Amino acid sequence: IESGIIYPIGVDMLHQASGRWKLGLLLALVTAACWATLPVALKMSLSVLDPMTLTWFRFAFAAVFMGLWLLGKRRLSAFGALQPKQWRWLLLATVLLIGNYIGYLLGVKYTSPGNAQLLIQLAPLLMALGGVFIFRDRFVWGQWLGLLIIVLGLGLFFRDQFAGGLVTGHNYLLGSAIVGAAALSWAAYALMQKQLLLKLSSQHILAVIYVFSALLLWPFAHPSALLNLDALHWALLLYCALNTLVAYGAFAEAMEHWQASRVSAVLATTPMLCLGVVAVVHALWPEAVASEHVGVLGFTGAALVVAGSALSSLLGQNKQEKQA
């Protein structure tokens, strides 16, 4: 999944957190920090690499890492039990996740890291809505309220950008539309992954998807461009590649030690953290990343997006956690 969205755990049995909430909080903050800084690293990497090459490298890096990890754990035998239908599902899930990665990256390129981070918050709610209609999941009143607050917050944020004359040409709208499509693509991927979890673990699913993605993107990538990178851009590229692995590793461990709703509420602050990261990087290195130019109305909208995401997480999962 791409930066800053909450990853669904598609299991039927309810999990009991260990109760080590301080460790859970620390790990949740590590995840939020990874997702808040990733858009800035992507934006800077796009100055020397095209989106296809950058995404291909991230998938290839993750494929090698996950493949070696599963090999070391001797867990590759699970793939032998898959039927052709499940392999087709995995291929479709791969296309959807590629759409999410490329779409988010183009959104960062055409708009700004903060704007992309805000819009991508639609992904978990679109996934939840899909669960209502496809898996007959229950969508409680708090989640509906959270959705309305998020829509209101996004409206205020966009109003601030347009009213301040900060949006020029069609790039902003195009980038925003692409991020919205990326959020929809991830939601469809997440719902498909939930079904695939009946046959494979999340680690196996991601390993296959990473391999398929690297192979599918290879013809469109330009690996030779990596030879022209300087030390700084190599560091940024490796950070982008490692970010997802570290973020999801910390996220999984945070869910092990703390309630899911509490972890999700912490992660909901990612858009505001991203705006802060952009401000700091711009102050220290003005030519690297442009400032966001967010006014009072825009910050109000961003705060509402955070509040809506947190509300949906806390009220949407609280009942399940009480039953755990």
Side-chain angles (χ1 to χ4, degrees), residues 254-271:
M255 296 283 281
E256 185 71 24
H257 300 296
W258 207 18
Q259 292 94 336
S261 63
R262 303 297 185 257
V263 175
S264 299
V266 171
L267 298 183
T269 65
T270 302

Side-chain angles (χ1 to χ4, degrees), residues 93-267:
T94 298
V95 173
L96 291 170
L97 192 60
I98 288 176
N100 168 253
Y101 268 62
I102 296 293
Y104 183 80
L105 195 55
L106 290 173
V108 170
K109 179 179 180 179
Y110 288 132
T111 60
S112 67
N115 180 64
Q117 192 60 258
L118 276 173
L119 269 177
I120 206 67
Q121 295 300 310
L122 290 172
L125 288 177
L126 289 173
M127 183 271 296
L129 287 173
V132 170
F133 294 105
I134 297 175
F135 294 104
R136 306 299 180 186
D137 293 341
R138 189 181 175 193
F139 208 57
V140 300
W141 68 269
Q143 289 172 295
W144 288 114
L145 180 59
L147 176 60
L148 290 175
I149 292 175
I150 288 175
V151 172
L152 175 61
L154 290 173
L156 291 177
F157 185 83
F158 291 144
R159 174 63 179 170
D160 175 73
Q161 300 294 287
F162 281 99
L166 301 173
V167 179
T168 58
H170 298 288
N171 282 352
Y172 187 92
L173 289 176
L174 175 62
S176 297
I178 292 174
V179 177
L184 180 61
S185 182
W186 183 86
Y189 153 77
L191 292 170
M192 181 162 290
Q193 192 216 35
K194 182 174 182 179
Q195 192 67 19
L196 285 168
L197 281 167
L198 296 175
K199 294 292 184 179
L200 290 172
S201 70
S202 60
Q203 292 88 356
H204 285 93
I205 293 171
L206 288 174
V208 173
I209 288 176
Y210 289 153
V211 171
F212 279 0
S213 298
L215 293 175
L216 288 174
L217 289 175
W218 193 1
F220 307 100
H222 301 89
S224 60
L226 302 178
L227 300 176
N228 300 322
L229 298 183
D230 57 22
L232 172 63
H233 287 97
W234 260 114
L236 287 170
L237 180 61
L238 290 174
Y239 179 76
C240 292
L242 284 168
N243 188 287
T244 299
L245 295 172
V246 174
Y248 280 114
F251 172 71
E253 286 299 309
M255 296 283 281
E256 185 71 24
H257 300 296
W258 207 18
Q259 292 94 336
S261 63
R262 303 297 185 257
V263 175
S264 299
V266 171
L267 298 183

Side-chain angles (χ1 to χ4, degrees), residues 15-25 27 250-259 263:
H15 172 263
Q16 184 69 47
S18 71
R20 300 173 64 187
W21 69 269
K22 291 182 180 179
L23 178 58
L25 172 60
L27 292 167
F251 172 71
E253 286 299 309
M255 296 283 281
E256 185 71 24
H257 300 296
W258 207 18
Q259 292 94 336
V263 175

